[in-house]
């Protein structure tokens, strides 16, 4: 069920009404869990099968881990991590590895592997399962502050893994941050102003910016790209950068705002990433919940930066490569991750070995930020185009299409719908550097204008880009 659909509006209205009915208050947890199952199974009920198994085995493992007299906690933890990764590999990557390494084998009957469906949101709820077993192993009773029965744990695990606002595309929530929030919620405690602002901004980014840009950036694909000038092709790269930010940040904001209506706080997922002046900063601002998950559950367990420079470089490279592959079962996503990994390695090496320090004035920061944005935007081509070769062909067209006439109508619409994203980032840059008293009237007018645009200037409805991951 898409957030930007009439069905979702009806679904959330009914769920919200039942959730806060006074005589149903003791059933709040069951209501939101049931609603989340319905939300996930809306288009394909068979998807529930794997999700239910995931909830069952993760809850069972956590229950064993929290038993004070159970002596094989580390072994059970290992089993939990292996089970989650095995399911992710089988459903998401078995086809990729079979196609790469086994398809040429004579006499092998592998066609069934390519028929394995990709369950929606498996990348996200698998990471939730890993966080759950690891956090309970590390923290034990500190997470829940009490011993609970297995049925109660199963219900709370269902909410954590299956909470509908963040189920399909995040933000990724750590178990240690979510479980303490599971308690009775009161209608009077809803932060209406914050939730409304977040939802308006999220729907504006998705329906007005991302959906309209989606109707333009299809030109990036072959053969459309071969008929456009170099200027238009360059502008399309920036347009897609604006689109992918607006699409994913929009989803995250809608998820965060919706969760607030039900009394739960999800982590911030984007913090003006395109104002970053280096690649480390970009990953502290982009898809924050993924980068912190990879840091806490992969980079640090691998040794982080505690075992010398060479090991740090290896860890960074490995984490970024695997983080890239997490995005999709195609090698182009790993190439994308490797590209970011190499940029992080070079950046770290130069910071440690340059015999001088660059001045930190605004001109230098602007130039560094421009380089980061250009690099990130070029790498986004691997998300939009089907393979690495097509991305290289696209760059070749930029050099060869210099004499083609420019489609100024396309370019003007690209600029019209991209500029708000960059103005939003300019506002973020200003906000971080200058403090000023907030003007409530300006805020009300601004959000009212965004709401007006949502009603009158929505683009053709399109699925969220991150649904494919």
């Amino acid at each position: 069920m898409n957030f930007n659909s009439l069905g979702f509006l009806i679904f959330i209205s009914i769920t919200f009404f039942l959730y806060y009915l006074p005589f149903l208050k003791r059933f709040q947890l069951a209501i939101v869990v049931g609603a989340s199952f319905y939300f996930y199974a809306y288009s394909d009920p068979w998807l529930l099968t794997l999700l239910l198994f995931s909830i069952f085995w993760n809850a069972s493992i956590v229950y064993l881990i929290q038993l004070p007299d159970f002596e094989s906690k580390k072994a059970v933890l290992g089993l939990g991590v292996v089970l989650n990764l095995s399911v992710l590999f089988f459903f998401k990557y078995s086809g990729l590895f079979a196609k790469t390494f086994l398809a040429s084998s004579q006499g092998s009957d592998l066609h069934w592997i390519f028929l394995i469906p990709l369950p929606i949101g498996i990348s996200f709820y698998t990471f939730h399962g890993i966080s759950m077993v690891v956090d309970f192993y590390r923290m034990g009773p500190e997470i829940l502050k009490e011993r609970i029965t297995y049925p109660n744990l199963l219900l709370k695990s269902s909410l954590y893994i299956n909470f509908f606002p963040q189920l399909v595309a995040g933000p990724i929530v750590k178990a240690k941050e979510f479980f303490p929030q599971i308690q009775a919620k009161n209608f009077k405690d809803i932060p209406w102003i914050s939730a409304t602002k977040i939802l308006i901004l999220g729907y504006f980014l998705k329906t007005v910016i991302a959906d309209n840009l989606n109707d333009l950036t299809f030109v990036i694909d072959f053969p459309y790209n071969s008929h456009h000038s170099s200027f238009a092709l360059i502008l399309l790269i920036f347009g897609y950068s604006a689109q992918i930010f607006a699409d994913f940040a929009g989803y995250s904001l809608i998820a965060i705002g919706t969760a607030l209506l039900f009394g739960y706080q999800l982590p911030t997922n984007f913090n003006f990433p395109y104002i970053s002046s280096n690649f480390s900063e970009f990953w502290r601002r982009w898809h924050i919940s993924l980068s912190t998950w990879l840091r806490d559950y992969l980079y640090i367990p691998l040794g982080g930066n505690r075992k010398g420079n060479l090991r740090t470089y290896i860890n960074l490279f490995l984490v970024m490569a695997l983080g890239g592959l997490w995005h999709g079962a195609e090698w182009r996503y790993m190439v994308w991750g490797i590209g970011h990994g190499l940029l992080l390695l070079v950046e770290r090496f130069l910071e440690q070995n340059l015999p001088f320090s660059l001045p930190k004035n605004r001109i230098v920061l602007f130039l560094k930020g421009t380089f980061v944005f250009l690099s990130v935007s070029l790498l986004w081509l691997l998300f939009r185009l089907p393979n690495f070769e097509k991305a290289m062909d696209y760059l070749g067209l930029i050099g060869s299409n210099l004499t083609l006439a420019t489609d100024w109508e396309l370019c003007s619409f690209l600029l019209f719908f991209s500029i708000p994203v960059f103005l939003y980032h300019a506002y973020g840059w200003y906000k971080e550097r200058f403090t000023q008293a907030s003007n409530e009237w300006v805020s009300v007018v601004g959000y009212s204008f965004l709401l007006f645009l949502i009603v009158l200037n929505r683009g053709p409805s399109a699925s969220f880009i991150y649904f494919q991951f």
Side-chain angles (χ1 to χ4, degrees), residues 4-138:
N4 51 334
S5 66
L6 177 61
F8 179 73
L9 179 61
I10 296 171
F11 160 79
I12 197 173
S13 299
I14 294 172
T15 304
F16 183 83
F17 175 74
L18 295 175
Y19 188 75
Y20 284 110
L21 276 178
F23 63 87
L24 292 179
K25 186 172 183 178
R26 63 194 181 101
F27 300 110
Q28 275 187 339
L29 186 53
I31 288 170
V32 74
V33 167
S36 296
F37 282 131
Y38 175 81
F39 173 85
Y40 187 69
Y42 180 74
S43 60
D44 188 356
W46 287 103
L47 292 173
L48 273 179
T49 306
L50 183 61
L51 180 62
L52 288 169
F53 273 115
S54 176
I55 293 168
F56 172 74
W57 75 62
N58 282 299
S60 300
I61 287 168
V62 165
Y63 184 72
L64 290 174
I65 288 174
Q66 73 154 2
L67 292 175
D69 299 328
F70 187 71
E71 297 180 353
S72 302
K73 295 184 180 183
K74 194 168 186 178
V76 170
L77 166 68
L79 175 64
V81 173
V82 169
L83 274 174
N84 281 290
L85 291 178
S86 298
V87 168
L88 181 63
F89 178 87
F90 179 77
F91 283 94
K92 189 168 182 176
Y93 302 108
S94 56
L96 173 65
F97 282 87
K99 180 180 177 181
T100 303
F101 300 112
L102 303 175
S104 60
S105 302
Q106 297 297 321
S108 59
D109 187 11
L110 300 168
H111 67 278
W112 63 271
I113 293 180
F114 304 106
L115 300 177
I116 297 173
L118 177 61
I120 296 172
I122 189 172
S123 298
F124 290 91
Y125 69 71
T126 298
F127 272 22
H128 277 174
I130 294 173
S131 172
M132 185 172 156
V133 297
V134 172
D135 284 357
F136 271 91
Y137 175 79
R138 289 174 175 174

Side-chain angles (χ1 to χ4, degrees), residues 307-329:
K307 299 186 177 182
N309 283 332
L310 179 60
R311 182 67 177 271
T312 300
Y313 294 151
I314 293 173
N315 291 342
L316 269 176
F317 183 84
L318 182 61
V319 168
M320 293 309 300
L322 292 176
L325 192 59
W326 173 87
H327 282 83

Side-chain angles (χ1 to χ4, degrees), residues 21-308:
L21 276 178
F23 63 87
L24 292 179
K25 186 172 183 178
R26 63 194 181 101
F27 300 110
Q28 275 187 339
L29 186 53
I31 288 170
V32 74
V33 167
S36 296
F37 282 131
Y38 175 81
F39 173 85
Y40 187 69
Y42 180 74
S43 60
D44 188 356
W46 287 103
L47 292 173
L48 273 179
T49 306
L50 183 61
L51 180 62
L52 288 169
F53 273 115
S54 176
I55 293 168
F56 172 74
W57 75 62
N58 282 299
S60 300
I61 287 168
V62 165
Y63 184 72
L64 290 174
I65 288 174
Q66 73 154 2
L67 292 175
D69 299 328
F70 187 71
E71 297 180 353
S72 302
K73 295 184 180 183
K74 194 168 186 178
V76 170
L77 166 68
L79 175 64
V81 173
V82 169
L83 274 174
N84 281 290
L85 291 178
S86 298
V87 168
L88 181 63
F89 178 87
F90 179 77
F91 283 94
K92 189 168 182 176
Y93 302 108
S94 56
L96 173 65
F97 282 87
K99 180 180 177 181
T100 303
F101 300 112
L102 303 175
S104 60
S105 302
Q106 297 297 321
S108 59
D109 187 11
L110 300 168
H111 67 278
W112 63 271
I113 293 180
F114 304 106
L115 300 177
I116 297 173
L118 177 61
I120 296 172
I122 189 172
S123 298
F124 290 91
Y125 69 71
T126 298
F127 272 22
H128 277 174
I130 294 173
S131 172
M132 185 172 156
V133 297
V134 172
D135 284 357
F136 271 91
Y137 175 79
R138 289 174 175 174
M139 301 178 65
E142 293 181 25
I143 294 181
L144 293 175
K145 307 295 184 183
E146 60 180 353
R147 289 281 308 281
I148 61 174
T149 63
Y150 180 74
N152 197 323
L153 177 61
L154 195 60
L155 192 60
K156 290 187 175 183
S157 301
S158 297
L159 179 61
Y160 167 62
I161 292 177
N162 185 43
F163 188 38
F164 74 88
Q166 49 77 45
L167 172 61
V168 179
I172 300 169
V173 191
K174 298 182 182 72
K176 62 186 178 183
E177 297 170 351
F178 190 86
F179 271 86
Q181 298 186 57
I182 303 177
Q183 53 187 289
K185 307 296 182 181
N186 298 308
F187 182 82
K188 64 182 179 64
D189 295 330
I190 298 174
W192 286 106
I193 295 177
S194 297
T196 301
K197 287 180 176 180
I198 291 170
L199 286 168
I200 289 175
L201 180 57
Y203 275 108
F204 170 76
L205 288 173
K206 170 56 183 170
T207 63
V208 178
I209 303 301
D211 284 352
N212 278 300
L213 283 172
N214 183 67
D215 216 31
L216 302 170
T217 57
F218 75 91
V219 178
I220 291 176
D221 291 334
F222 180 84
Y224 312 106
N225 53 25
S226 60
H227 305 297
H228 287 273
S229 68
S230 300
F231 177 75
L233 294 177
I234 292 171
L235 205 57
L236 280 163
I237 294 176
F238 299 144
Y240 187 67
S241 285
Q243 179 192 341
I244 198 170
F245 167 79
D247 194 276
F248 195 19
Y251 180 96
S252 295
L253 287 168
I254 296 169
I256 292 167
T258 303
L260 281 176
L261 295 179
F262 290 87
Y264 291 90
Q265 287 194 330
L266 303 183
T268 299
N269 217 17
F270 291 88
N271 183 26
F272 309 105
Y274 290 157
I275 65 172
S276 305
S277 59
N278 58 59
F279 296 101
S280 298
E281 183 184 358
F282 175 79
W283 280 104
R284 291 193 297 270
R285 294 177 177 272
W286 176 275
H287 204 344
I288 300 169
S289 64
L290 173 64
S291 56
T292 55
W293 193 99
L294 291 172
R295 179 198 65 199
D296 292 351
Y297 300 103
L298 185 56
Y299 180 68
I300 291 176
L302 285 172
N305 58 1
R306 305 186 306 274
K307 299 186 177 182

